[in-house]
Amino acid sequence: MSETGASPLPSSSPAHTPLARAEQFIWLTARVLEQRRFAYHFLEGGADAVETALAAYRNADEGYGHALEPDLRGPVSQPLHTGHALRVLDSIGRCGGQRVERVCRYLTSVSTPDGALPAVHPSQRGYPAAPFVPIVDDPPSDLLATGPVVGLLHRNQVWHAWLFRATDFCWQAVESLEKSHPYEVHAAVAFLESVPDRPRARAAADRLGRLVREHRLAALDPERPNDFPVSAGYAPGEHHYPHDFARTPESLARAWFTDEEMSRSLDFLASEQTEDGGWPIRWRQWAPSTAMESRPIVTIEALRTLRAYGRPIS
């Protein structure tokens, strides 16, 4: 094992398993961060190596930038990049301590007047960004950016003054949803999974699940995707399936779907692995580099979801 903790040895998996095929795709296409993450999750690599790779995206303001979230380019820190960094830290058991205290100071500095996060801070202006990401001078609070961050901080028992108003914002946003779209629902679930008031979270999740089914936000039959509408502004065919909402069996969103619906969804997820060993992205592709950088991220999450549900990958 190297100094940074990643295993230099090739996988011992049989050559044609989903994991082995994905490994070749990762070595061929992925950024160093995703290489280290793959090694951590599937090859007994070390957490230190992941954290070292992630540190390259950290800025002096303790936020994260440098296209960590591939659809936002340029060096400046952004809430979406910083949320991505916290997910990585959480996945390796490092989402705590002084590093996260410093991140909370960054979150405070970019928060809106009601104490939550905008999707995109105006500092992004002048750098390339996906055309579906609006950049405005006075952006509103956004559940999409705030919910996952608040959920992760609660999950890791981080207590910081920023959390109080941000948590209140998320409760108000989630409990007032009358219509939504899949990415906003994912953010709401990420919040509800870990917020301390568990009875309130379960009640909110039950209501959200009914909304998802009533508005057909989840494509329940992968063989008939056209029976389910694509949300406004999404790419053609950008459907979301039960496994996208409930990434583990323990998710609050798992109760929204029958065993048959979830089984079909996981079958579909397994079948999506392409000839090159990676998984495709379904959202709008606007630049070759962003698609190339996003696919290893999606591939790692697909493998983690399949493994969480006990599906064979190796």
Side-chain angles (χ1 to χ4, degrees):
M1 185 164 294
S2 69
E3 270 184 22
T4 53
S7 170
L9 300 176
S11 169
S12 59
S13 303
H16 300 296
T17 65
L19 183 60
R21 293 168 57 208
E23 182 180 352
Q24 293 304 306
F25 172 75
I26 292 293
W27 298 137
L28 179 65
T29 66
R31 303 180 297 190
V32 172
L33 175 59
E34 282 70 50
Q35 292 177 25
R36 298 303 201 186
R37 290 190 65 211
F38 185 90
Y40 174 84
H41 289 295
F42 304 108
L43 304 178
E44 300 184 356
D48 286 350
V50 178
E51 196 164 2
T52 297
L54 181 62
Y57 297 87
R58 191 172 64 234
N59 284 318
D61 61 7
E62 299 298 341
Y64 287 77
H66 304 279
L68 179 56
E69 189 69 34
D71 281 330
L72 294 177
R73 315 304 292 182
V76 294
S77 297
Q78 285 292 327
L80 291 177
H81 294 316
T82 304
H84 188 129
L86 290 174
R87 286 193 296 276
V88 171
L89 290 170
D90 176 68
S91 73
I92 62 172
R94 298 285 179 89
C95 191
Q98 291 187 353
R99 73 172 65 77
V100 176
E101 289 286 329
R102 292 192 294 267
V103 168
C104 287
R105 289 200 292 271
Y106 163 75
L107 298 174
T108 302
S109 74
V110 296
S111 289
T112 58
D114 55 9
L117 296 173
V120 182
H121 189 269
S123 59
Q124 182 65 36
R125 183 173 282 109
Y127 297 103
F132 47 81
V133 177
I135 301 170
V136 299
D137 289 332
D138 189 20
S141 298
D142 194 287
L143 179 61
L144 193 70
T146 311
V149 170
V150 172
L152 280 171
L153 295 179
H154 281 305
R155 170 184 168 91
N156 289 276
Q157 299 182 340
V158 174
W159 294 105
H160 187 276
W162 178 80
L163 263 177
F164 293 100
R165 294 180 68 205
T167 300
D168 288 343
F169 165 80
C170 291
W171 275 126
Q172 191 280 330
V174 170
E175 293 179 331
S176 64
L177 284 176
E178 296 297 335
K179 62 180 181 177
S180 189
H181 58 92
Y183 291 117
E184 187 174 55
V185 173
H186 299 331
V189 170
F191 167 70
L192 295 173
E193 299 277 33
S194 301
V195 70
D197 190 339
R198 302 314 300 152
R200 187 178 179 184
R202 286 190 289 270
D206 288 345
R207 191 185 77 85
L208 192 59
R210 290 193 296 272
L211 183 151
V212 166
R213 295 190 73 95
E214 289 168 5
H215 292 238
R216 297 191 299 157
L217 299 182
L220 300 178
D221 186 350
E223 294 186 359
R224 302 180 65 179
N226 292 335
D227 290 352
F228 301 89
V230 173
S231 294
Y234 283 30
E238 192 177 350
H239 295 96
H240 289 238
Y241 299 87
H243 68 263
D244 292 311
F245 295 91
R247 294 190 175 275
T248 70
E250 296 77 30
S251 171
L252 289 174
R254 175 62 185 87
W256 302 350
F257 309 108
T258 67
D259 290 347
E260 181 181 1
E261 288 165 349
M262 185 58 69
S263 181
R264 283 200 303 258
S265 183
L266 293 168
D267 287 345
F268 174 72
L269 176 61
S271 74
E272 275 199 303
Q273 188 174 25
T274 60
E275 187 175 346
D276 64 9
W279 267 259
I281 59 174
R282 292 195 292 270
W283 60 86
R284 196 179 305 278
Q285 300 180 34
W286 61 281
S289 60
T290 62
M292 181 177 293
E293 292 176 4
S294 295
R295 287 191 63 209
I297 299 171
V298 169
T299 295
I300 291 169
E301 295 311 315
L303 290 168
R304 293 182 70 199
T305 296
L306 290 169
R307 183 170 65 181
Y309 279 95
R311 293 299 184 98
I313 61 172
S314 61

